[in-house]
Amino acid sequence: METPDSIQLEAVKRSKGLEWLMTVDHKRLGVMYICSGLFFFVVAGIMASLIRIQLAVPQNDFLPPDTFNRMFTMHGTSMVFLVGMPIIAGMANFLVPLMVGTRDMALPRLNAFGFWIFLFGGCLLYYSYIGGPGLYGAGSAPDVGWFAYAPLTSKAFSRGHTVDYWALSLILTGIGSLATAANIIVTVFCLRCKGMTMFRLPLFVWMMLVTAFLMVLALPPLSAAQIMLLLDRFLGAGFFDTQEGGSAVIWQHFFWIFGHPEVYILIMPGFAVASEVIPVFSRKPIFGYPVMVAASIMITFISLGVWAHHMFTVGMTSVANVFFATSTLLIAIPTGIKIFNWLGTMWGGKIRFATPMLFCMGFLFQFLASGLTGVMLAIVPFDWQLSDSYFVVAHFHYVLVGGLLFTIFAAIYYWYPKVTGRMLSEKIGKMHFWIFVLGFNMTFGVQHILGILGMPRRIYTYDTDRGWDLWNMISSIGVIFQGIAILLFIYNILSSLRKGKEAGPDPWDAWTLEWATSSPPPSYNFAKLPEVKSRRPLWDEKHPDDPDWRHE
Amino acid sequence: MSNSNTATAESQQEWKLPSAPKVGMICLIVMETALFTIFVVAYLYYIGKSLNGPFPKDLLEAPIIASICLLSSSGTVIMAERAFKRKDKAKFRLFWGITWLLGATFIALTAVEWKGLLENGLAIDTNLFGSTYYPLVGLHATHVIIGLFLLALIFILSITNHLPFEHVIPMEMISWYWHFVDAIWIVVFTVVYIIGVY
């Protein structure tokens, strides 16, 4: 029917921007998640650079103290909630349906809702910057640290709306993450293609599933605590108000009940990427698949019971300290199992040193370092010495940058051809890798020393007589290298979009289902839904003489 | 070639997966449980820590009638479900309607209770008891109200003959949600009106 209305509707449908705005396609939402994550990554990275410039020399007055507080708060909050979480959600969105061989996520509209509410939450957080100080509500970015300890967040100590922005925007992004988590769980359980039993799922899917479970269990407590905080601030409730008999420590408990599992929510997708990339570039199936799955589930359970290791210096009973120290140390076991499995996969393999593999190998070394400092910090007396020092800063940057960010880079180099149909430049990629490794270890490696020398985190400036000058300078110079590497990376992404080598459906000679369809995949993913008989369906297809299912 | 035989045998098997709405609903219920847990823990932690009155034992009376209403509505919703599956429209409407009425009575009684508490000088900013009582009971009441909207939606669709009696799932999901709300009430009742008072 060619009514004027339907013609108009067609015109609207053809407009490309609107098509993206209104999409419920999991691949587009995935790309949108990753792009907004990378955008916030650049913003939060600029803040990090400003922090390092301020700390490069003693007695610096580059940033005013209150601006410095806003910088580290917004840097931390953004990196966790607006960079880590959306990029993870984006990877899961793009890859999980392809990997389990289905056409879309189980709840596509909920998926779109999740993305938009995340983006709205992110914008709300940054909205707090707009306008000058003094304007009602605006010009007052959060400045209480990313874990917003009570009683600093009470009305008496945080006037204006800094904390309100922090809580409201994180509740919103939390809802978005919960929508994604539910979607992943339902997709993996209910939409697997024929023959894709739970123990034939790619490890990436397994670990995203475990991450989704962790989100479902850990994010609502954060929202609950933030609702209580807002009740305190707006309605005069007394949850965290010591003047009314409330407890400031219970905020720490509630926050870390979320906050510790959050670390595993962020790192498990890193494991997921490594578990896909390392086998493909070693030309060997993953070593110990069932053990990997079991270790992931173990990490999930243990991580829910370790939160108070962030609170050893609060003054808990020694029974509690021992319990949380022990449970924290236990996590080293499944994590160690994983590292040995990755090494076992590489052992005797035909390793190709392509950029994704390089990033995964960098990840192995740096994540090992972060694990070892983690074990050190789990020892209570050691933690009493170095809690809230730069040693802790170094530790968690090794986890989140050396662990998560390196694998995110690996993932982007590995799956970029699938998303865009073109390869990223290997030459620039390798430059990116080496410069970033150098810069990263320069910046954060020496912070271990700074911590041992007694430099507390979050200080705005320091005196010359502390012996911290040289190390701070080195640390700040490292940022320059990191910045150059990131610029190379962005250049690579943008230029390869046009000029990159055509990828074809399976440029890496990989084995999982996402490589079975064209690059970029059509909106319906697979012309005919696949059927699998083993963990490596594409291997079976390429080697009909010796398929995997004969050996399973 | 025994291997290829097993493989063909496998491909002939029916490929069965769990139903998406059910798994999704279970996810939602787990999230809600996690949310409630924190409020319940906060309530338990702050029992007896109020610095000034009024205290729970001065004001709280166990809402026996409201609880009976809410808990029995779990039974009527099951009856409605059975009628739905038998496609017995009249019985379905009857029991579904009774469920709604029982839920609405619960909310009305809660409103009366809150009015009394406010008149006796307990507000959210009075003391820790008020701070923890209203959010916990209020969070539950909010869930009941959402449930009432969903129940009403199905009821209206049913009396206007727009409810497809072939699709069990949407109705079933709402009844799952309703059971969850009832189960949470048992916890809230125990914590607030039994542990909190004695």
Side-chain angles (χ1 to χ4, degrees), chain A residues 388-527:
Chain A
D388 266 339
S389 76
Y390 259 76
F391 191 85
V392 177
V393 176
H395 161 68
F396 69 70
H397 278 93
Y398 265 77
V399 179
L400 293 179
V401 182
L404 178 63
L405 188 62
F406 268 67
T407 49
I408 285 176
F409 286 145
I412 291 176
Y413 279 94
Y414 183 57
W415 279 294
Y416 186 88
K418 182 46 65 186
V419 177
T420 61
R422 289 177 188 273
M423 307 291 284
L424 284 170
S425 152
E426 277 288 300
K427 211 173 107 200
I428 305 179
K430 282 180 179 148
M431 273 157 65
H432 166 201
F433 171 74
W434 287 110
I435 299 175
F436 198 81
V437 167
L438 177 69
F440 163 76
N441 285 298
M442 247 173 103
T443 302
F444 298 108
V446 296
Q447 289 185 358
H448 291 108
I449 303 169
L450 273 172
I452 292 169
L453 291 177
M455 178 164 160
R457 69 199 280 196
R458 294 182 174 151
I459 51 165
Y460 144 71
T461 192
Y462 51 90
D463 279 334
T464 35
D465 55 357
R466 306 288 153 89
W468 303 337
D469 309 14
L470 174 67
W471 306 113
N472 269 311
M473 185 46 100
I474 295 173
S475 184
S476 295
I477 291 171
V479 172
I480 299 171
F481 289 100
Q482 291 190 57
I484 294 170
I486 297 293
L487 288 179
L488 282 173
F489 173 60
I490 292 170
Y491 170 76
N492 199 355
I493 286 186
L494 294 179
S495 70
S496 299
L497 213 51
R498 289 266 173 82
K499 294 185 288 188
K501 202 168 67 185
E502 293 274 350
D506 183 15
W508 306 113
D509 194 11
W511 302 310
T512 38
L513 278 180
E514 78 271 27
W515 305 103
T517 178
S518 63
S519 313
S523 60
Y524 44 85
N525 289 356
F526 301 98

Side-chain angles (χ1 to χ4, degrees), chain A residues 278-336:
Chain A
I278 289 177
V280 167
F281 289 90
S282 309
R283 307 314 299 159
K284 272 176 72 191
I286 188 89
F287 176 76
Y289 175 98
V291 186
M292 285 295 247
V293 172
S296 309
I297 296 171
M298 236 172 111
I299 290 177
T300 314
F301 277 109
I302 304 174
S303 74
L304 288 167
V306 302
W307 73 87
H309 69 216
H310 295 262
M311 300 163 58
F312 285 147
T313 50
V314 153
M316 296 183 297
T317 59
S318 41
V319 177
N321 280 347
V322 168
F323 171 80
F324 286 108
T326 316
S327 57
T328 307
L329 291 169
L330 275 180
I331 281 207
I333 298 170
T335 317

Side-chain angles (χ1 to χ4, degrees), chain A residues 200 510-511 531-552:
Chain A
R200 284 180 193 160
W511 302 310
E531 200 181 322
V532 298
K533 289 179 182 170
S534 77
R535 277 172 207 154
R536 298 194 299 167
L538 260 65
W539 171 274
D540 296 352
E541 207 172 276
K542 289 171 199 162
H543 303 88
D545 47 314
D546 183 26
D548 266 3
W549 48 263
R550 278 207 193 140
H551 310 291
E552 272 184 13

